[in-house]
Amino acid sequence: MELQNTVKEALNALYHHPDDAFRMQADRWLQDFQRTLDAWQVADNLLHEPTSNLETLIFCSQTLRSKVQRDFEELPSEAFRPLRDSLNNLLRKFHKGPPKVRTQISIAVAALAVHVPADDWGEGGIVNWLRNEMNSHPEYVPGFLELLTVLPEEVYNYKIAARPDRRRQFEKELTSQMEVTLNILTACLNINELKEQVLEAFASWLRLKHGIPGSLLASHPLVLTALASLNSELLSEASVNVISELIHYSAAGSLSDLPVHMPLIQVIVPQVMNLKAQLRDSSKDEEDVKAIARLFADMGDSYVELIATGSDESMLIVHALLEVTSHPEYDIASMTFNFWHSLQLNLTKRDAYISFGNDASVEAERKRRLQIFCPVYESLVSLVSFRVQYPNDYQDLSYEDLKEFKQTRYAVADVLIDAALVLGGDMSLKLLYVKLVEAVSSCGNSTQSEWRPAEAALFCIQAISNYVSVGEAEIMPQVMGLLPKLLKQAQLLQTVCYTVGAYSKWLDASPSGQSILPSVIDILMNGMSTSEDSAAAAALAFRHICADCRRKLCGFLDGLFHIYNMTVNGESSLKVTAEDSLHLVEALSMVITELVPDQAKRALEALCLPVVAPLQEIVNQGLEVLNKKPSNELTVHIDRFAYIFRYVNHPEAVADAIQRLWPLFKAIFDIRAWDMRTMESLCRSCKYAVRTSGRFMGITIGAMLEEIQGLYKQHHQPCFLYLSSEVIKIFGSDPSCASYLQNLIEALFMHTTRLLTNIQEFTVRPDIADDCFLLASRCIRYCPQLFIPSSVFPALIDCSMIGITVQHREASNSILTFLADVFDLATSSKSEQYISRRDAIIIPRGPVLLRILIAALTGALPSSRLEPVTYTLLALTRAYRAQALEWAKESVSLIPATAVTEKERSRFLKALSDAASGCDINTLAVPIEELSDVCRRNRNVQEIVQGALRPLELNVRPV
């Protein structure tokens, strides 16, 4: 009683106390209470108590539901019947509501049925038990109907802490009772006020996709009732749900199953087609129109393979779907977008025509279908293209509304791409060009609103750019000729710039491309001078054009450098942000790549000059000034070096540039080594210099490695490790570099293993762990001859064992990948010579290592990490076979029988045994995932399993 009163007081505080702190405290107490064993009895008592208010009833019904779902195993086996009877009494008590409480009780009973085998409910399981209850107490049928509705939904509810075997068995129990269920529901149809509830329950059971023949369903009273409701004045939501589920049901399986379901399809389709006229009925409620549109969309999605044959009957459905697409409400029209995509795939992908045999037959059928559907997709282009037009009040749109409008444009762009794949890009371009010409003719005189149709047409033309042939010579020259007339409004100019960039490949291939380029550059300069948005679009377009037209642009180098210098120097006339200026750096770097070596070297010097100058000026002001500068005042320039070194593909020229720049870089390294952001930027620049220059780096690489090796010991910057990864990739196999790479590896790894001595250190330094083990994997691939025989290799294995269960995703994945690479050494002929060295280190640690991996699998790591853990576990098993199986048996034997049954244990060990025998490890994931599910099914079980395996206590010191 005292605890019941405390619950009431906490609920009162939670809902009514004026102080936030009190409410939070009450909330925490109530959450903790829900996890206790006492919560069963207290919640049950308060639900039966006549004086409990609505807040108490809702909380206690939710508590009881979650206890049954997650904590049923807390109860002794004899508690089932009293619990079932109590829940049954509550279901009767609340049969008229409150609805929220009744629903929670219904879910609790359904969850109980998932846990408890059918035999314990009596012959016929819960369905038969429920039928008997309904027959004995007809006054409580509404409550029992809700239970019947939620029962099949719980098959797929993974909040219920049921074992996988029991979950599968429950699904079989329900499907075996499908006929009984349909009889119960049919009997309830006679009660008029229950019709809606009966149909909702029917829809729920249809989701089980149990194989009832279409011929039986086609004449079933429940189906006929739902179909009849479609024609009534007030469209029943439950009827729509039933028809929707019947459509999905009749399309389940392959085309070969269609004859079984055809009687049902022949009943459904005409009835739904009769609703077509209502799509345009202005007197119809919008929700009703949405429901009708949903049925047409469901038919399209489900019967798309049939529709793609182009039969007369299927074309009736297609034209109805065009009608839905043309609806003025976007939410309704967009319901069909998935269908147009699926239909496109069925019309254009070769796989859809396999049954037609030889190539000639396939091509003939493909042409026949495309001929039928091309007019449909031409109509589609017209029906969707207007939806991308900016609204009149676009300037007043909230952030959320603007975001939604942009998502609408992206969705329409996807539909236009589907159309282009069916019609061909050139044909789609012709259709959209007509709209552009119409829009341009009314654009440019007086009112501001007149730019919007032109912008919309241009956006659509931009959307299909990848599908227009680079040799298109009829429309694209005319489009390019129109663009200079469309620069008077900021949004329109932005789209003009994006369009120019999108057609960069066409500009390169076009015979008139060279003559068009000057006007294109003028457009982009205009974009960079107008607004930040148009400047961003222009900078991106510059990058595309320089990437694809780089040969043509070699003759424009002086003009490009002028634009580049204005941008990098931050000329006030341009609106290009520092971030967008990187597109210009990349653009010019790609043009320089096309120059001959001598010209490239001079051009690279000119490219670096405006970047070097401000950095050199800061360094020249002395140590104190450099130390106090905000990071972004340095990284804005250093980031540009990263782009230059990445995209100027002249190894010798870049090597020469980095050699000249090294004193400047070293000064920044020495003075700002404490500053993570600046170091990351500088290491990124060095990484790309190493990647591009390769063996031309000469003495600079030695100085660079010496620098980061020394600084890492003082400042522990993770970026020093990822720069080292790049060096290992380029120079790892070079014998002349072996000595200093050996020193680098040993120094970096030895220092890291001294930092990461327990799981807490991994948790506070996840970036170091991530980059350390990425570097270790690189060493295995590129310089195993230096790494595996070294003294740091065993230390790193010990370190990885400590960190496997770190919760940081990237760090954990890097550790698991490193271990998998170690176990997979035998799969590489280059690494076979190191197997004995590896085994000498792994075998003594094997039992502990495998136990930690099983602990990670069963709850020490989140379930989202299951794939890399599983792969690493199977790689270990594959490498050590019988030994690994023994280690695994030892580990899983520690898990108590209350958590894992002998059958579940055996199934898991069988999967490992199959892996050891050489089976494809991709086929072994299911039994391993099931052990993971079993051990995570609720908090108590997870704690028992982790308490038995104790992964964090296993490797506190090296073996």
Side-chain angles (χ1 to χ4, degrees):
M1 282 302 294
E2 189 180 334
L3 198 49
Q4 285 175 211
N5 290 332
T6 309
V7 168
K8 289 179 183 177
E9 287 166 14
L11 284 167
N12 190 54
L14 177 66
Y15 288 107
H16 304 293
H17 202 285
D19 190 328
D20 285 348
F22 269 91
R23 288 203 298 275
M24 286 176 66
Q25 190 179 351
D27 188 37
R28 276 195 299 271
W29 186 89
L30 287 165
Q31 285 183 39
D32 291 339
F33 160 75
Q34 286 181 310
R35 298 189 190 106
T36 65
L37 198 57
D38 289 325
W40 289 100
Q41 192 65 58
V42 171
D44 187 66
N45 288 350
L46 288 172
L47 283 165
H48 283 93
E49 192 177 280
T51 59
S52 292
N53 62 18
L54 181 60
E55 290 160 357
T56 304
L57 292 174
I58 289 172
F59 172 76
C60 290
S61 62
Q62 288 171 340
T63 300
L64 210 48
R65 182 260 304 153
S66 69
K67 294 299 282 182
V68 176
Q69 286 180 331
R70 307 297 300 172
D71 301 325
F72 180 65
E73 290 179 59
E74 289 179 343
L75 300 178
S77 57
E78 61 270 16
F80 161 62
R81 289 190 186 282
L83 176 60
R84 182 193 67 183
D85 294 343
S86 178
L87 289 170
N88 188 14
N89 289 333
L90 290 171
L91 207 53
R92 295 177 192 177
K93 177 181 176 181
F94 299 115
H95 77 281
K96 289 185 176 176
K100 284 183 181 177
V101 176
R102 187 179 69 194
T103 299
Q104 295 300 310
I105 302 297
S106 298
I107 295 171
V109 179
L112 190 61
V114 179
H115 287 296
V116 179
D119 291 348
D120 291 7
W121 293 82
E123 190 181 346
I126 187 172
V127 174
N128 212 39
W129 173 85
L130 191 52
R131 180 176 65 176
N132 293 337
E133 288 293 321
M134 291 169 92
N135 287 338
S136 305
H137 305 283
E139 68 275 23
Y140 302 130
V141 163
F144 291 132
L145 266 179
E146 178 151 17
L147 171 55
L148 199 59
T149 304
V150 299
L151 261 179
E153 292 167 5
E154 298 310 288
V155 169
Y156 310 108
N157 183 356
Y158 287 87
K159 287 180 183 175
I160 299 174
R163 289 179 151 91
D165 275 348
R166 175 60 206 145
R167 195 181 296 281
R168 284 190 288 268
Q169 189 58 38
F170 176 64
E171 185 173 3
K172 286 178 185 171
E173 288 167 7
L174 289 193
T175 52
S176 70
Q177 294 297 309
M178 180 71 85
E179 193 177 333
V180 176
T181 303
L182 297 189
N183 289 340
I184 294 171
L185 293 174
T186 305
C188 291
L189 275 178
N190 297 323
I191 308 167
N192 204 44
E193 57 269 26
L194 294 181
K195 194 177 287 183
E196 193 85 353
Q197 215 180 337
V198 167
L199 291 176
E200 283 295 359
F202 181 40
S204 181
W205 279 78
L206 284 170
R207 289 182 199 113
L208 284 177
K209 303 271 191 295
H210 179 61
I212 308 170
S215 55
L216 183 66
L217 280 174
S219 57
H220 199 282
L222 289 164
V223 175
L224 299 177
T225 301
L227 289 169
S229 170
L230 291 183
N231 301 313
S232 64
E233 273 300 309
L234 288 169
L235 189 64
S236 153
E237 185 183 346
S239 300
V240 171
N241 290 339
V242 168
I243 305 304
S244 176
E245 290 304 329
L246 286 168
I247 290 167
H248 296 313
Y249 184 93
S250 63
S254 62
L255 275 173
S256 60
D257 298 320
L258 270 176
V260 179
H261 294 305
M262 194 52 77
L264 180 59
I265 295 171
Q266 287 168 339
V267 167
I268 294 170
V269 173
Q271 293 284 353
V272 176
M273 291 301 293
N274 287 340
L275 302 173
K276 183 181 169 185
Q278 295 185 37
L279 289 167
R280 288 285 177 191
D281 186 346
S282 56
S283 65
K284 205 77 180 160
D285 180 75
E286 189 181 319
E287 289 305 311
D288 284 354
V289 176
K290 270 187 185 174
I292 293 165
R294 174 187 154 201
L295 291 178
F296 280 108
D298 282 342
M299 280 204 310
D301 291 337
S302 299
Y303 305 144
V304 66
E305 290 180 44
L306 275 177
I307 290 168
T309 61
S311 66
D312 291 345
E313 295 87 349
S314 69
M315 294 312 289
L316 294 173
I317 299 176
V318 170
H319 287 114
L321 285 160
L322 280 174
E323 188 88 14
V324 177
T325 307
S326 69
H327 196 279
E329 283 296 324
Y330 174 75
D331 287 348
I332 292 172
S334 61
M335 289 179 183
T336 63
F337 287 4
N338 188 63
F339 164 73
W340 300 119
H341 176 66
S342 300
L343 181 59
Q344 174 267 118
L345 292 176
N346 272 276
L347 295 173
T348 59
K349 298 295 178 192
R350 191 170 181 81
D351 295 355
Y353 299 91
I354 287 173
S355 61
F356 288 89
N358 62 53
D359 288 352
S361 301
V362 165
E363 194 51 35
E365 178 61 16
R366 188 171 172 276
K367 280 184 177 173
R368 182 190 75 80
R369 292 187 181 188
L370 287 174
Q371 197 171 0
I372 292 168
F373 284 99
C374 275
V376 172
Y377 276 89
E378 285 177 17
S379 300
L380 183 64
V381 170
S382 295
L383 291 175
V384 298
S385 55
F386 79 93
R387 295 188 187 275
V388 304
Q389 187 168 308
Y390 271 91
N392 285 320
D393 60 345
Y394 78 97
Q395 287 174 314
D396 302 324
L397 291 179
S398 67
Y399 172 79
E400 285 303 318
D401 287 342
L402 195 58
K403 187 177 170 186
E404 195 176 314
F405 172 63
K406 285 181 179 176
Q407 286 170 343
T408 298
R409 280 163 70 101
Y410 297 145
V412 170
D414 287 340
V415 177
L416 291 170
I417 288 168
D418 289 323
L421 285 163
V422 173
L423 299 170
D426 295 4
M427 183 63 208
S428 298
L429 178 67
K430 278 184 184 177
L431 297 171
L432 293 168
Y433 177 66
V434 171
K435 294 185 177 299
L436 178 63
V437 171
E438 288 171 3
V440 170
S441 64
S442 63
C443 180
N445 296 328
S446 54
T447 61
Q448 271 286 301
S449 63
E450 289 172 341
W451 60 271
R452 295 179 305 111
E455 191 280 337
L458 209 52
F459 175 87
C460 295
I461 288 171
Q462 174 208 329
I464 62 162
S465 59
N466 289 340
Y467 306 92
V468 174
S469 62
V470 292
E472 205 285 331
E474 182 187 349
I475 303 298
M476 274 314 299
Q478 297 180 67
V479 172
M480 288 293 174
L482 283 176
L483 296 184
K485 301 174 184 175
L486 304 174
L487 312 181
K488 295 180 182 177
Q489 200 279 338
Q491 271 82 7
L492 180 54
L493 176 56
Q494 183 183 353
T495 304
V496 167
C497 292
Y498 278 133
T499 305
V500 165
Y503 283 92
S504 55
K505 285 184 172 62
W506 179 86
L507 275 169
D508 184 50
S510 171
S512 56
Q514 190 83 28
S515 59
I516 296 173
L517 277 173
S519 68
V520 163
I521 291 171
D522 286 345
I523 289 171
L524 299 183
M525 283 300 291
N526 205 317
M528 286 193 279
S529 310
T530 302
S531 71
E532 272 198 18
D533 287 341
S534 64
L540 185 63
F542 244 115
R543 192 192 81 186
H544 287 310
I545 287 166
C546 289
D548 293 320
C549 308
R550 55 180 83 179
R551 287 191 180 88
K552 284 185 167 72
L553 286 167
C554 288
F556 293 82
L557 215 52
D558 289 344
L560 293 176
F561 262 112
H562 176 66
I563 297 166
Y564 167 76
N565 285 321
M566 285 175 69
T567 308
V568 171
N569 293 330
E571 292 263 342
S572 58
S573 61
L574 299 183
K575 304 286 196 293
V576 182
T577 63
E579 189 178 348
D580 290 325
S581 73
L582 294 171
H583 292 316
L584 275 294
V585 179
E586 182 183 337
L588 200 47
S589 299
M590 288 188 286
V591 176
I592 290 171
T593 295
E594 291 303 310
L595 301 175
V596 295
D598 285 347
Q599 287 180 318
K601 190 174 179 181
R602 289 194 297 275
L604 180 56
E605 288 174 15
L607 195 63
C608 291
L609 197 60
V611 184
V612 172
L615 280 175
Q616 192 66 61
E617 188 181 335
I618 294 168
V619 170
N620 290 346
Q621 289 172 20
L623 187 149
E624 193 175 343
V625 172
L626 179 54
N627 223 352
K628 288 182 177 176
K629 280 282 179 188
S631 299
N632 64 328
E633 289 188 25
L634 298 167
T635 58
V636 69
H637 306 296
I638 299 170
D639 286 345
R640 288 168 181 159
F641 279 126
Y643 276 70
I644 291 169
F645 296 152
R646 184 177 183 180
Y647 293 106
V648 174
N649 192 11
H650 279 281
E652 287 186 73
V654 170
D656 184 56
I658 192 72
Q659 189 173 345
R660 281 184 288 102
L661 289 166
W662 179 246
L664 174 64
F665 279 23
K666 186 177 187 308
I668 299 169
F669 267 126
D670 288 341
I671 297 164
R672 298 287 295 212
W674 53 268
D675 172 11
M676 181 182 280
R677 192 171 165 198
T678 300
M679 288 301 99
E680 284 181 346
S681 178
L682 199 53
C683 284
R684 197 179 304 117
S685 295
C686 291
K687 178 181 84 168
Y688 287 119
V690 170
R691 187 179 289 180
T692 300
S693 303
R695 306 291 166 82
F696 291 104
M697 283 284 283
I699 58 170
T700 316
I701 190 68
M704 190 183 290
L705 294 181
E706 189 180 333
E707 181 75 10
I708 62 172
Q709 191 175 317
L711 292 174
Y712 182 66
K713 290 177 183 176
Q714 299 171 57
H715 299 283
H716 315 140
Q717 297 286 10
C719 55
F720 296 152
L721 295 169
Y722 84 61
L723 174 54
S724 302
S725 286
E726 194 63 35
V727 172
I728 292 293
K729 184 179 175 182
I730 304 295
F731 296 98
S733 58
D734 187 340
S736 66
C737 303
S739 175
Y740 67 73
L741 287 182
Q742 180 89 50
N743 291 337
L744 176 76
I745 287 168
E746 295 198 358
L748 294 178
F749 285 142
M750 196 54 74
H751 191 71
T752 304
T753 55
R754 287 173 186 157
L755 285 176
L756 303 174
T757 55
N758 54 54
I759 195 68
Q760 290 78 18
E761 289 294 339
F762 274 87
T763 303
V764 297
R765 302 175 190 269
D767 293 342
I768 286 182
D770 181 21
D771 286 317
C772 167
F773 287 99
L774 285 173
L775 173 60
S777 284
R778 278 268 168 99
C779 289
I780 288 173
R781 284 186 211 115
Y782 295 103
C783 58
Q785 75 284 0
L786 303 178
F787 177 51
I788 296 173
S790 72
S791 60
V792 294
F793 183 57
L796 211 56
I797 295 291
D798 289 327
C799 186
S800 71
M801 290 166 69
I802 298 168
I804 287 172
T805 56
V806 67
Q807 298 302 295
H808 188 275
R809 186 181 61 188
E810 284 79 11
S812 173
N813 283 350
S814 295
I815 294 167
L816 290 165
T817 301
F818 161 68
L819 287 170
D821 289 342
V822 172
F823 305 145
D824 284 340
L825 274 176
T827 60
S828 165
S829 56
K830 291 179 185 176
S831 304
E832 281 181 351
Q833 57 188 301
Y834 309 113
I835 299 295
S836 60
R837 164 70 172 163
R838 177 200 70 177
D839 291 351
I841 293 158
I842 296 295
I843 289 172
R845 296 162 172 79
V848 172
L849 186 46
L850 202 136
R851 187 164 149 189
I852 295 170
L853 286 170
I854 289 176
L857 184 80
T858 55
L861 284 177
S863 55
S864 58
R865 221 73 52 79
L866 210 55
E867 192 177 330
V869 174
T870 300
Y871 182 84
T872 307
L873 178 63
L874 291 173
L876 174 60
T877 309
R878 196 168 48 186
Y880 293 100
R881 305 193 177 193
Q883 277 177 302
L885 287 174
E886 285 305 311
W887 301 336
K889 283 175 188 171
E890 286 173 32
S891 294
V892 295
S893 69
L894 298 170
I895 303 173
T898 52
V900 176
T901 64
E902 194 54 46
K903 185 179 177 184
E904 288 158 349
R905 225 184 297 264
S906 301
R907 193 180 292 153
F908 171 72
L909 291 170
K910 172 72 166 59
L912 295 190
S913 175
D914 290 344
S917 305
C919 286
D920 179 4
I921 60 177
N922 293 321
T923 64
L924 306 174
V926 172
I928 292 171
E929 283 173 17
E930 288 195 351
L931 183 78
S932 177
D933 287 346
V934 163
C935 293
R936 297 170 190 266
R937 63 186 184 271
N938 63 37
R939 185 185 298 232
N940 291 341
V941 170
Q942 194 164 330
E943 286 172 359
I944 289 168
V945 173
Q946 293 305 307
L949 295 172
R950 296 177 292 110
L952 296 181
E953 297 171 30
L954 292 176
N955 194 25
V956 290
R957 60 177 63 85
V959 174

